[in-house]
Amino acid sequence: MSAEAQASVATKDMPSGIDRVRRLVRRLIDYGRQLAVTVRQRAAAPDFTLFVKPFGTADLAIILGRIAAGLRRAVALEAALNGRIARGLDLAPAPVREPSVTPRAARHIVAPAQAEPRSTKTEAPHLARLPTEEEIAAEVLRRPVGAVIADICRDLGIAPGRVDPAFWHELSRTIMTYGGSFMRFLEDLDRRWFGRRPGKRANPASSAALPRSPVPATGPP
């Protein structure tokens, strides 16, 4: 059998759900790599503090560390998905445990119109604590795929307006379908953007509509 025929058979026999998730993870990897370049380029810009709001800190070293951690998670998840595909295994959707949040609702968040005073203070000290390679590998194997993807999105500072609407919708759908909490991800993003206390739970109406950034989207998606 020719190489072309083998590739055709492999694609035909590949479980569709897991392949869709794998392609999504590959887009996250491409996005994260481009984001690391963009963050370095914008570090001296006047609007840098506003640009990095979704990270919860303006500390460049911590931001780059989080992006690196997100990329390691994504690469580890991609490897795990490839392993399942090689064994002919698909991904089973997890039971729905939370109300869905539409991309349209998420567009209603309005980010601060003016850039805040430049600061490198870490608003959430725990952000400085980055996971080790061993911890990431264990998490990817132990936790639901949707939860790992939500963590990757946190690490990469993904928010409405930072990626195109179709990609945002695909991310939210995949997180919820495969065992992650999209509402928790939105609440975390809400706390990072507006500086709310971790113990204070944002109401669904405001938190489901996280800020749509005035900054142009970054990266391949």
Side-chain angles (χ1 to χ4, degrees):
M1 182 182 293
S2 67
E4 291 80 5
Q6 289 178 343
S8 176
V9 171
T11 301
K12 180 179 179 181
D13 295 340
M14 184 180 296
S16 60
I18 195 170
D19 183 49
R20 186 166 57 250
V21 175
R22 182 182 65 169
R23 286 187 276 111
L24 182 71
V25 172
R26 171 45 54 180
R27 289 187 69 185
L28 284 170
I29 292 172
D30 292 341
Y31 176 84
R33 288 172 176 167
Q34 180 60 44
L35 178 64
V37 175
T38 302
V39 166
R40 288 187 178 93
Q41 291 174 341
R42 299 186 67 136
D47 67 345
F48 182 71
T49 301
L50 180 59
F51 179 72
V52 296
K53 268 289 187 179
F55 291 97
T57 178
D59 187 308
L60 180 61
I62 293 177
I63 292 169
L64 292 175
R66 294 228 66 89
I67 294 172
L71 285 170
R72 288 196 295 270
R73 287 186 208 275
V75 169
L77 180 56
E78 183 183 41
L81 294 173
N82 284 336
R84 290 183 64 88
I85 289 173
R87 298 192 301 274
L89 301 176
D90 204 346
L91 288 176
V96 177
R97 299 181 182 277
E98 63 185 13
S100 62
V101 179
T102 65
R104 178 173 297 178
R107 288 202 299 267
H108 293 306
I109 298 176
V110 178
Q114 301 295 326
E116 297 180 357
R118 186 65 176 269
S119 170
T120 58
K121 179 182 177 181
T122 302
E123 288 78 3
H126 72 277
L127 292 175
R129 202 288 184 192
L130 300 176
T132 65
E133 293 278 358
E134 293 75 16
E135 288 171 339
I136 288 175
E139 287 175 4
V140 167
L141 294 177
R142 182 183 74 248
R143 302 178 66 218
V145 168
V148 176
I149 291 176
D151 279 348
I152 294 170
C153 291
R154 289 183 180 94
D155 287 336
L156 300 184
I158 287 179
R162 296 297 171 90
V163 295
D164 68 64
F167 189 43
W168 173 260
H169 174 69
E170 182 69 10
L171 285 169
S172 64
R173 185 170 67 91
T174 302
I175 289 171
M176 290 186 288
T177 299
Y178 296 104
S181 174
F182 189 60
M183 283 297 294
R184 187 174 298 117
F185 166 67
L186 289 176
E187 289 167 357
D188 290 344
L189 181 56
D190 185 63
R191 283 194 292 268
R192 291 183 181 188
W193 204 294
F194 295 111
R196 293 189 175 95
R197 293 182 179 179
K200 184 177 181 179
R201 188 181 183 87
N203 69 65
S206 62
S207 141
L210 280 178
R212 183 171 180 79
S213 168
V215 181
T218 301

